[in-house]
Amino acid sequence: PSIVTPPKDIWNVTGAQIYLSCEVIGIPTPVLIWNKIIRGQYGVQRMELLPGDRENLAIQTRGGPEKHEVTGWVLISPLSKEDAGEYECHASNAKGEATASAKIHVVETLHEIALTKDDGAEL
């Protein structure tokens, strides 16, 4: 499988509603899952399979828009400081796997975003 459209980094304030999206394609049609990457001092410590038991997080996937393509979303509402971190879109099928990730940055006020945000990230 391959990632057609990877998720993008997001900056937003606590209490907001945000989503990450990811499009993957492959033959056979891949299965898409989302993980939150929990990093330790020495690299990746563990992966948390989403949605888990989080009440403010929903995962949705659908086929398309193209044949053998799958689109998936992570919706977080309301956004909290604990939701900050790196989220991974993971596609797999009988031929292999592909991953892409994005970071969610959570701030207290929109003013903080202008001071700290990198160019290219989405609100």
Side-chain angles (χ1 to χ4, degrees), residues 73-93:
W73 298 269
V74 174
L75 172 70
I76 301 175
S77 181
L79 186 64
S80 71
K81 284 283 194 189
E82 292 74 44
D83 298 314
E86 189 172 353
Y87 290 76
E88 177 190 77
C89 163
H90 182 272
S92 60
N93 65 14

Side-chain angles (χ1 to χ4, degrees), residues 56-106:
N56 68 331
L57 191 147
I59 303 288
Q60 184 176 15
T61 56
R62 71 168 178 86
E66 303 297 327
K67 193 168 173 56
H68 302 293
E69 191 171 9
V70 176
T71 301
W73 298 269
V74 174
L75 172 70
I76 301 175
S77 181
L79 186 64
S80 71
K81 284 283 194 189
E82 292 74 44
D83 298 314
E86 189 172 353
Y87 290 76
E88 177 190 77
C89 163
H90 182 272
S92 60
N93 65 14
K95 305 280 189 196
E97 51 190 64
T99 61
S101 65
K103 289 189 173 76
I104 293 176
H105 306 269
V106 182

Side-chain angles (χ1 to χ4, degrees), residues 14-122:
T14 52
Q17 176 176 303
I18 64 161
Y19 72 93
L20 295 170
S21 66
C22 183
E23 291 179 355
V24 301
I25 197 163
I27 299 173
T29 304
V31 173
L32 191 156
I33 61 167
W34 289 90
N35 295 301
K36 183 171 183 188
I37 299 172
I38 313 293
R39 292 195 186 275
Q41 193 174 351
Y42 306 105
V44 174
Q45 192 171 1
R46 65 186 181 91
M47 301 279 213
E48 178 190 346
L49 180 62
L50 299 176
D53 63 354
R54 295 173 182 224
E55 292 180 2
N56 68 331
L57 191 147
I59 303 288
Q60 184 176 15
T61 56
R62 71 168 178 86
E66 303 297 327
K67 193 168 173 56
H68 302 293
E69 191 171 9
V70 176
T71 301
W73 298 269
V74 174
L75 172 70
I76 301 175
S77 181
L79 186 64
S80 71
K81 284 283 194 189
E82 292 74 44
D83 298 314
E86 189 172 353
Y87 290 76
E88 177 190 77
C89 163
H90 182 272
S92 60
N93 65 14
K95 305 280 189 196
E97 51 190 64
T99 61
S101 65
K103 289 189 173 76
I104 293 176
H105 306 269
V106 182
V107 294
E108 294 295 331
T109 66
L110 288 172
H111 178 68
E112 287 179 62
I113 295 173
L115 299 175
T116 56
K117 163 178 162 350
D118 297 338
D119 287 339
E122 286 193 349

